[in-house]
């Protein structure tokens, strides 16, 4: 024993005789260490998942995954591809979590027959209270989604498409104005502003007015961009979420000035919730049906959500509908402009279907254009929607996945990337090839287009999403002659932050308005 260790133990034994703060600290650390070792040993050798392959450290402790994501700053999905190459189709990536690689397992996990819960660890990171997105249990989430579903049905979207077209018109005016000033357009910013105004005008009849910001530099856009990467931290350290949610606006603006747009947006949404809950009669003055008509309707036989839950529902809808749609439009636009043949084909089809610029076609007409349809699908495929595995919890009785029995309580997932980038389903999967959706056998591909997820927890906003994509591509490519300004499809770089989070250079596009 060295003299230092001798000294430590002597002090420790002294403390035992005369308990003190230092004794409490040392005892807590030793107990914690002992607990980690006992728990880790149980996880390795006795846990129901101990027979599944994977890195030993991942099986031992959740800290391995935290280390990879937060310290190494590696994308989880990138690591998953590496792990499957070593360990095969099923990998244990945390003490109680399995990830699968076979695309067929996607339809087993997200089967319409399943009533599985969402994994609370992941989904609690998104909001403090309940919303259709974050309620873990199927039955409770279904009740909430059933209330909202009619508003987001295809019929409802078709009847309210003028709201979306109004946002398109405003975006196109902004782009034309930039052209008039001799500027190129940052197309990602333009689409983000478009998406946030569309969702806020559709859901609340209160557009965020992001499209009115000069050069699409809207504070709300900036704030949403800054806040998304926080999800990766918050899922492991949920206390951060509570801190941020209760932080006085002044402190937020001092700590992270970019987040002030979010503070303002929350304030606006919450004031509306306060107004409609206190004075439901104000809903009569709304210009069209909004989410509160459904959520606060006592005759529908549903429980009326609490004030806090309504608040979080509103905020989550804005987040769910903004980056998803704008990422898809951006990725598609940059790929189309990087491929002259694809560009020519889509413009030719649009000029035929939309001969006079003043006669803007309706969504139903655009939806039937085969090449535009192929563009929309290929953009959805390559953008992938959500890249982090959308984890679900296997019910107590266990389940068969990929031909193996999975014990009840296991957290299971398969990232969208393992389906949408699978070369046996989509040959040359990293290339943007709309033609793949036009080939005779392409109908069977729809089964694998999982960008909106599948099953009972699939996207509530799928119809609104499709309408935005068809109108977005059609308006941009019909109304403008476009070319890339110093970027290409190779510039597109994304980092995983649950969604793909754009990290590449600013995506400038020169957009000259067509005269007819
Ligand atoms: C291109 C556009 C969109 C894509 C690719 C997309 C994709 C997805 C995906 C993959 C999920 C499953 C998430 C998970 O379980 O972790 C989801 C769920 C959801 N989406 Fe979308 N979405 C889009 C647009 C929208 C829009 C416009 C809204 C607005 C209403 C919306 C609202 C929701 C909601 C509320 C859920 C939660 C459903 C549930 O948990 O049962 N999405 N979306």
């Amino acid at each position: 024993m060295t003299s230092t260790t001798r000294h430590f133990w002597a002090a420790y034994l002294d403390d035992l005789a005369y308990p003190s703060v230092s004794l409490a600290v040392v005892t807590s650390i030793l107990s914690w260490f002992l607990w980690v070792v006992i728990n880790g040993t149980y996880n390795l050798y006795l846990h129901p998942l101990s027979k599944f392959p994977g890195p030993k450290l991942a099986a031992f402790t959740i800290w391995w995954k935290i280390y990879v994501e937060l310290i190494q700053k590696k994308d989880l999905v990138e690591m998953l591809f590496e792990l499957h190459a070593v360990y095969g189709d099923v990998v244990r990536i945390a003490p109680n979590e399995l990830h699968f690689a076979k695309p067929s397992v996607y339809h087993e996990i997200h089967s319409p027959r399943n009533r599985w819960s969402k994994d609370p660890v992941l989904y609690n990171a998104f909001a403090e209270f309940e919303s259709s997105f974050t309620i873990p249990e199927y039955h409770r989430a279904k009740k909430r989604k059933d209330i909202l579903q009619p508003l987001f049905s295809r019929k409802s979207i078709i009847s309210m498409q003028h709201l979306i077209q109004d946002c398109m018109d405003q975006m196109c005016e902004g782009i034309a104005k930039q052209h008039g000033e001799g500027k190129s357009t940052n197309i990602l910013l333009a689409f983000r502003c478009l998406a946030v105004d569309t969702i806020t005008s559709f859901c609340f009849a209160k557009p965020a007015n992001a499209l009115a910001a000069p050069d699409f530099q809207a504070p709300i856009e900036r704030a949403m961009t800054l806040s998304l990467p926080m999800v990766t931290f918050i899922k492991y350290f949920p206390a951060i979420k509570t801190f941020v949610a209760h932080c006085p606006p002044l402190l937020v603006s001092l700590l992270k000035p970019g987040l002030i747009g979010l503070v303002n947006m929350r304030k606006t949404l919450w004031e509306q919730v306060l107004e409609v809950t206190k004075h439901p009669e104000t809903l009569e003055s709304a210009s069209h049906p909004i989410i509160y008509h459904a959520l606060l309707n006592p005759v529908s036989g549903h429980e009326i959500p609490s004030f806090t839950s309504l608040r979080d529902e509103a905020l989550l809808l804005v987040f769910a509908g903004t980056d998803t749609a704008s990422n898809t439009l951006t990725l598609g636009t940059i790929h189309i402009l990087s491929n002259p043949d694809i560009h020519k084909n889509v413009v030719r089809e649009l000029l035929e279907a939309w001969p006079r610029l003043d006669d803007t076609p309706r969504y139903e007409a655009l939806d039937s254009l085969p090449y535009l349809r192929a563009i929309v699908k290929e953009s959805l495929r390559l953008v992938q929607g959500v890249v982090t595995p959308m984890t679900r919890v296997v019910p107590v009785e266990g389940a068969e996945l990929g031909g193996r029995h999975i014990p009840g309580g296991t957290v299971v997932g398969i990232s969208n990337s393992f389906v949408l980038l699978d070369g046996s389903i989509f040959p040359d999967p990293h290339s943007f090839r709309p033609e793949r959706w036009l080939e005779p056998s392409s109908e069977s591909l729809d089964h694998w287009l999982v960008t909106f997820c599948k099953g009972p927890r699939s996207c509530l906003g799928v119809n609104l999403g499709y309408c935005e994509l068809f109108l977005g591509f059609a308006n941009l490519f019909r109304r403008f002659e476009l070319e890339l300004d110093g970027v290409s499809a190779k510039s597109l770089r994304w980092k995983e932050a649950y969604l793909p989070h754009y990290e590449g250079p600013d995506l400038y596009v020169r957009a000259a308005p067509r005269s007819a």
Side-chain angles (χ1 to χ4, degrees):
M1 214 188 268
T2 64
S3 68
T4 328
T5 27
R6 245 196 324 270
H7 187 249
F8 169 81
W9 285 112
Y12 183 64
L13 292 173
D14 250 12
D15 266 353
L16 275 182
Y18 306 100
S20 68
V21 175
S22 59
L23 170 71
V25 170
V26 173
T27 309
S28 311
I29 293 173
L30 286 177
S31 319
W32 175 79
F33 184 73
L34 197 66
W35 180 85
V36 169
V37 172
I38 294 173
N39 192 42
T41 311
Y42 167 82
N43 288 340
L44 272 178
Y45 302 108
L46 300 170
H47 193 282
L49 299 185
S50 55
K51 298 277 177 307
F52 285 87
K56 287 279 175 261
L57 269 176
F60 188 81
T61 170
I62 185 71
W63 283 94
W64 178 79
K65 209 169 147 213
I66 298 177
Y67 173 77
V68 171
E69 285 197 81
L70 299 188
I71 310 291
Q72 284 191 319
K73 296 196 185 307
K74 205 166 172 173
D75 284 356
L76 179 62
V77 69
E78 184 192 334
M79 184 193 68
L80 290 172
F81 276 104
E82 289 168 15
L83 291 178
H84 283 291
V86 177
Y87 295 102
D89 284 343
V90 193
V91 182
R92 188 180 182 194
I93 57 167
N96 193 36
E97 183 176 349
L98 297 176
H99 186 269
F100 294 78
K102 262 176 121 174
S104 57
V105 176
Y106 196 96
H107 291 288
E108 294 175 356
I109 294 177
H110 300 289
S111 156
R113 290 187 301 278
N114 287 352
R115 303 291 178 255
W116 301 4
S117 290
K118 282 184 160 182
D119 165 24
V121 173
L122 173 61
Y123 292 94
N124 277 347
F126 292 97
E128 262 200 294
F129 299 97
E130 303 205 307
S131 70
S132 48
F133 185 82
T134 53
I135 296 173
E137 302 88 7
Y138 162 84
H139 291 286
R140 290 198 309 118
K142 180 173 182 318
K143 275 192 190 157
R144 178 68 66 89
K145 282 178 88 177
D146 283 351
I147 303 175
L148 290 170
Q149 194 68 55
L151 186 66
F152 292 99
S153 67
R154 185 173 156 86
K155 193 168 153 222
S156 159
I157 302 295
I158 286 179
S159 75
M160 290 199 274
Q161 61 181 282
H162 59 280
L163 298 172
I164 308 168
Q165 184 58 48
D166 286 350
C167 293
M168 299 289 157
D169 292 344
Q170 209 186 335
M171 179 187 75
C172 290
E173 274 165 31
I175 296 175
K177 181 166 177 273
Q178 287 192 300
H179 180 261
E181 292 164 357
K183 294 179 193 162
S184 295
T185 295
N186 181 329
I187 202 69
L188 178 65
L189 289 194
F191 282 141
R192 282 207 180 125
C193 293
L194 170 79
V196 81
D197 276 4
T198 302
I199 192 84
T200 46
S201 115
F202 189 87
C203 291
F204 321 118
K206 274 191 188 295
N209 282 330
L211 285 164
D215 294 331
F216 304 114
Q217 308 264 4
I220 180 61
E221 185 286 323
R222 179 97 202 101
M224 291 180 79
T225 304
L226 283 177
S227 56
L228 188 65
M230 287 162 69
V231 166
T232 316
F233 278 92
I234 295 176
K235 78 177 165 190
Y236 296 118
F237 303 105
I240 303 174
K241 177 186 66 180
T242 318
F243 172 74
V244 174
H246 293 102
C247 218
L250 189 65
L251 190 59
V252 175
S253 56
L254 287 175
L255 292 175
K256 202 146 186 167
L259 286 186
I260 202 64
L262 195 61
V263 171
N264 292 338
M265 157 82 104
R266 276 161 74 138
K267 192 165 165 276
T268 312
L269 292 178
W270 295 352
E271 279 168 2
Q272 186 181 25
V273 174
L274 203 60
E275 187 189 346
V276 294
T277 43
K278 276 194 174 161
H279 307 286
E281 67 282 1
T282 55
L283 283 172
E284 282 164 28
S285 60
S287 52
H288 58 85
I290 59 174
I291 60 164
Y292 302 117
H293 287 110
L295 291 169
L296 297 175
N297 181 3
V299 294
S300 66
H302 294 287
E303 201 181 309
I304 293 186
S306 67
F307 171 75
T308 43
S309 179
L310 287 169
R311 247 176 36 179
D312 279 9
E313 186 67 63
L315 201 60
L316 253 295
L317 285 173
V318 176
F319 270 94
T322 299
D323 278 10
T324 44
S326 56
N327 281 348
T328 316
L329 284 165
T330 303
L331 175 140
T333 301
I334 300 296
H335 275 285
I336 296 168
L337 296 178
S338 303
N339 289 276
D341 288 342
I342 298 177
H343 189 185
K344 230 181 284 160
N345 288 343
V346 73
V347 171
R348 188 185 309 124
E349 187 180 63
L350 282 170
L351 286 170
E352 271 170 30
W354 183 351
R356 279 174 31 88
L357 207 47
D358 292 341
D359 297 339
T360 313
R362 289 181 58 82
Y363 169 44
E364 302 89 297
L366 295 171
D367 182 30
S368 65
L369 298 179
Y371 203 78
L372 185 59
R373 210 160 225 287
I375 292 282
V376 167
K377 287 186 182 179
E378 187 63 349
S379 305
L380 282 167
R381 182 189 71 79
L382 214 46
V383 83
Q384 304 164 58
V386 169
V387 276
T388 296
M390 296 175 264
T391 36
R392 305 289 186 254
V393 183
V394 173
V396 274
E397 63 275 18
E400 288 291 305
L401 292 179
R404 294 188 69 163
H405 179 76
I406 310 299
T410 306
V411 172
V412 292
I414 168 166
S415 162
N416 274 3
S417 313
F418 282 76
V419 179
L420 297 165
L421 300 180
D422 184 298
S424 66
I425 304 171
F426 301 105
D428 193 8
H430 293 278
S431 296
F432 187 83
R433 274 208 313 114
E435 283 69 21
R436 71 174 89 239
W437 298 97
L438 298 167
E439 287 157 9
S441 57
S442 68
E443 256 180 38
S444 61
L445 286 186
D446 285 341
H447 178 68
W448 298 110
L449 189 59
V450 297
T451 315
F452 290 97
C453 196
K454 293 278 175 186
R457 301 309 295 269
S458 61
C459 180
L460 175 71
V462 56
N463 295 308
L464 178 58
Y466 268 114
C467 184
E468 267 184 276
L469 299 182
F470 275 93
L471 263 55
F473 284 126
N475 278 275
L476 187 71
F477 283 89
R478 174 63 185 90
R479 291 183 177 199
F480 295 94
E481 283 182 39
L482 300 158
E483 59 179 346
L484 295 170
D485 185 2
V487 288
S488 74
K490 290 197 181 76
S491 317
L492 293 170
R493 283 201 315 274
W494 311 85
K495 175 107 187 98
E496 177 179 338
Y498 172 72
L499 303 173
H501 183 64
Y502 186 70
E503 281 226 315
D506 288 346
L507 296 167
Y508 283 105
V509 164
R510 272 191 285 272
R514 291 181 199 275
S515 50

